[in-house]
Amino acid sequence: MSDDNRPEDDVPFNREFGLQPGVVEEIRPGLRRVLCNNPSPFTFTGTVSYIVGRGKVAIIDPGPADEAHANALLDAVKGETVTHILVTHTHKDHSPGTPLIKQATGATVYAEGPHRASRPYFESETVSTESGADRNFKPDVEIRDGDMIEGDGWTIESVATPGHTANHMAFAWREGDALFVGDHIMGWSTTIVAPPDGSMPDYMASLDRLIGRDEQLYLSGHGAEIPEGPRYSRFLKRHRLAREASILHRLGKGETDIPSMVRAIYIGIDPRLVSAAGYSVLAHLEDLVMRGVVATEGDPVISGRYRLAG
């Protein structure tokens, strides 16, 4: 069958990515990438940092606080000037390397803002996110949706894409007709949306936003580039809607808790990802409770029990 006729829950993932840590790869003229050696079930082969331009350049997502990776990035731009540092969001595999690059280059740091949750914490909640929040991060310049960041021979438009985090920002490279999508979209896996840092309604709205844009090439924070980005985004949207349908199907059998739903829905899941899957289910449930489709006693939290409303 063609990709467009895939089952609703089937996404054409690409788990082939041969880039080695510390190696500088030119993807196309004016665009290079360097892989950090921080592989994990959440980061795939590691965090990908990007270098835009030649001579006077921007670095997108310096990665974790990893001196070897920072040195690899600095070696990649030896003889050039780093004028801008752009950060898609404040998880510990993306933003903590920023001070290392800024100290060495004096570049100005651009991002949506410091880390924050997508909604206030409930009394019974503790901080939870798959890779941890970088709560020390503060940009030099806080950017908003539609802001233009201009460098020597390149222009980048900021595109607000909340959902994975409240402050997640994609960056549209105008000259390259490409979109740096951070962790909002990944070619190797679905994105974790873990409340309260993440928000499923925000994530779905951001997906729709990117589907409506013109850029075809997506450059993710993990894994290979994604061609036909809007089309791939539609697969992800169908996958999320199918996940919601699976949750409602399970609730149709009676009241239950999140661990039971994870066991029923995520067949054969890597045990290291069970907790993250629970938070993704919670993100859907939180949305369903807000829409009046699902009910629970008290706030929708990871330890709650859920049932169909009505």
Side-chain angles (χ1 to χ4, degrees):
M1 67 179 65
S2 73
D3 275 354
D4 287 320
N5 292 321
R6 283 171 177 265
E8 287 184 345
D9 203 27
D10 189 12
V11 180
F13 294 128
N14 174 16
R15 297 192 172 98
E16 299 295 323
F17 191 49
L19 185 62
Q20 295 300 305
V23 175
V24 185
E25 180 181 43
E26 184 170 54
I27 307 171
R28 57 168 60 177
L31 179 60
R32 291 164 280 175
R33 63 185 170 193
V34 181
L35 176 69
C36 182
N37 189 21
N38 62 327
S40 79
F42 300 106
T43 61
F44 190 37
T45 59
T47 302
V48 182
S49 300
Y50 294 93
I51 303 165
V52 179
R54 282 284 182 181
K56 294 182 179 179
V57 306
I59 290 178
I60 298 178
D61 279 353
D66 183 300
E67 288 192 13
H69 183 59
N71 289 335
L73 281 170
L74 294 170
D75 286 345
V77 297
K78 190 170 292 183
E80 300 177 272
T81 302
V82 180
T83 57
H84 298 65
I85 299 169
L86 282 62
V87 175
T88 60
H89 67 293
T90 45
H91 277 159
K92 288 185 177 177
D93 56 330
H94 286 262
S95 57
T98 301
L100 295 171
I101 303 299
K102 180 176 175 61
Q103 183 178 13
T105 65
T108 304
V109 179
Y110 296 77
E112 195 269 0
H115 191 83
R116 68 182 189 281
S118 292
R119 58 154 173 78
Y121 287 87
F122 301 136
E123 286 186 8
S124 60
E125 281 182 328
T126 57
V127 176
S128 64
T129 173
E130 85 287 355
S131 61
D134 177 9
R135 300 181 188 279
N136 296 320
F137 178 84
K138 190 176 188 306
D140 298 318
V141 179
E142 293 190 0
I143 53 177
R144 294 293 174 262
D145 182 63
D147 284 353
M148 295 293 179
I149 303 166
E150 297 184 355
D152 187 7
W154 53 263
T155 307
I156 287 176
E157 176 190 357
S158 56
V159 183
T161 47
H164 179 60
T165 60
N167 65 356
H168 197 288
M169 190 73 76
F171 297 112
W173 180 29
R174 303 298 291 271
E175 293 80 8
D177 189 29
L179 194 64
F180 299 93
V181 291
D183 280 5
H184 183 67
I185 293 176
M186 298 183 291
W188 71 282
S189 174
T190 56
T191 295
I192 292 172
V193 180
D197 281 1
S199 162
M200 189 59 69
D202 288 351
Y203 183 82
M204 295 296 282
S206 294
L207 267 185
D208 282 336
R209 178 138 198 252
L210 296 193
I211 288 170
R213 290 183 63 91
D214 293 333
E215 295 89 4
Q216 291 298 308
L217 180 65
Y218 288 2
L219 300 155
S220 177
H222 307 276
E225 61 270 32
I226 303 164
E228 297 185 276
R231 182 165 172 262
Y232 182 78
S233 298
R234 287 193 289 272
F235 284 122
L236 292 178
K237 180 179 178 179
R238 280 165 41 187
H239 172 82
R240 294 288 182 178
L241 293 174
R243 186 70 77 210
E244 178 183 292
S246 296
I247 291 169
L248 292 174
H249 177 74
R250 176 61 186 82
L251 290 175
K253 300 179 180 180
E255 180 178 290
T256 189
D257 57 16
I258 287 176
S260 297
M261 282 185 263
V262 170
R263 286 192 296 271
I265 296 168
Y266 291 84
I267 307 299
I269 187 173
D270 184 331
R272 296 171 295 179
L273 299 178
V274 167
S275 176
Y279 277 98
S280 283
V281 170
L282 174 62
H284 280 288
L285 289 167
E286 191 173 87
D287 182 25
L288 290 164
V289 169
M290 183 175 65
R291 286 154 49 192
V293 179
V294 169
T296 186
E297 297 303 320
D299 297 316
V301 294
I302 196 74
S303 58
R305 294 185 63 81
Y306 296 86
R307 62 186 184 279
L308 294 178

